[in-house]
């Protein structure tokens, strides 16, 4: 009698936890396709809660707060910085190779956010925007960046990496920190106070 009771209890436990965790996992994931090279397509899943989380017991060393808005440190321990070149959203010239383009820049959470699609055009990179899931894929040569609006995780060359601020959906575009998209594709970011310009220099 006792063996039957234990077997029944074990079966209920397995069924309950098996079904509940399976339903949660399938509800949280969105799938989208990603093309590689010569038409090869791979499926990727993006978790709705796919944000970067700090691991317990691990201490992060933050860089000096005066320069981090323009450097992607790939570190989650960076605190918001109030020493941005400007505090209000505005059109700003972004200069690359002696040419400049006016982009709308949004100061948010200690970062300067720019349209990922417009920065991709400026960097002469290819991009794909997945409207339903608000995922932006940007690629140039061997480098690739995938971000999702509302997430602070980026996939840099298919490695999950923390961003200093969440990507943000605004005016039908995914806005992300200028340091993230510039540094991914080999550019250093600086501010020219005299011309009030964000300057991108090849690393």
């Amino acid at each position: 009698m006792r063996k039957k009771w234990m077997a029944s209890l074990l079966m209920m436990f397995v069924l309950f936890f098996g079904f509940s965790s399976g339903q949660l996992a399938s509800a949280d994931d969105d799938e989208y396709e990603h093309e590689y090279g010569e038409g090869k397509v791979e499926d990727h899943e993006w978790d709705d809660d796919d944000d970067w989380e700090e691991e317990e017991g691990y201490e992060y060393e933050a860089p000096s707060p005066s320069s981090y808005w323009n450097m992607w440190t790939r570190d989650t321990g960076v605190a918001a910085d109030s020493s941005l070149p400007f505090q209000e959203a505005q059109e700003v010239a972004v200069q690359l190779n002696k040419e400049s383009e006016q982009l709308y820049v949004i100061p948010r959470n200690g970062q300067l956010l720019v349209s990922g699609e417009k920065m991709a055009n400026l960097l002469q990179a290819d991009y794909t925007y997945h409207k339903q899931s608000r995922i932006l894929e940007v690629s140039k040569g061997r480098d690739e960046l995938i971000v999702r609006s509302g997430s602070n995780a980026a996939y840099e060359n298919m490695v999950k990496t923390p961003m200093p601020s969440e990507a943000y959906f605004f005016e039908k575009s995914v806005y992300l920190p200028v340091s993230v998209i510039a540094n991914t594709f080999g550019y250093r970011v600086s501010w020219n106070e005299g011309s009030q310009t964000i300057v991108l220099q090849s690393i």
Side-chain angles (χ1 to χ4, degrees), residues 28-46:
D28 281 348
D29 293 330
D30 296 323
E31 291 188 18
Y32 69 98
E33 293 182 343
H34 183 79
E35 292 186 27
Y36 285 97
E38 299 174 17
K40 181 180 173 191
V41 176
E42 292 186 9
D43 289 332
H44 295 282
E45 294 182 0
W46 193 290

Side-chain angles (χ1 to χ4, degrees), residues 106 108 113 148-151 166-170 173-176:
I106 303 172
R108 184 174 178 164
L113 276 57
R148 181 179 187 173
S149 175
S151 175
E166 288 184 352
Y168 176 63
F169 186 74
F170 180 71
S173 184
V174 176
Y175 277 69
L176 66 155

Side-chain angles (χ1 to χ4, degrees), residues 129-157:
Y129 173 62
H130 301 274
K131 187 176 181 178
Q132 186 174 4
S133 58
R134 294 184 177 172
I135 292 174
L136 176 67
E137 300 177 49
V138 183
S139 62
K140 183 177 181 180
R142 293 182 170 195
D143 294 317
E144 179 181 57
L145 179 68
I146 303 173
V147 295
R148 181 179 187 173
S149 175
S151 175
N152 70 334
Y155 285 86
E156 180 187 21
N157 299 319

Side-chain angles (χ1 to χ4, degrees), residues 29-68:
D29 293 330
D30 296 323
E31 291 188 18
Y32 69 98
E33 293 182 343
H34 183 79
E35 292 186 27
Y36 285 97
E38 299 174 17
K40 181 180 173 191
V41 176
E42 292 186 9
D43 289 332
H44 295 282
E45 294 182 0
W46 193 290
D47 190 347
D48 286 341
D49 298 324
D50 207 357
D51 290 338
W52 190 267
E53 296 177 9
E54 293 183 20
E55 296 176 22
E56 278 187 45
Y58 189 82
E59 293 183 26
Y60 297 98
E61 186 176 318
S64 65
S66 62
S67 64
Y68 96 93

Side-chain angles (χ1 to χ4, degrees), residues 91-108:
E91 291 277 334
V92 175
V94 180
Q95 181 181 335
L96 173 65
N97 299 330
K98 306 284 184 196
E99 295 180 20
S100 66
E101 187 172 325
Q102 291 289 122
L103 297 182
Y104 194 68
V105 181
I106 303 172
R108 184 174 178 164

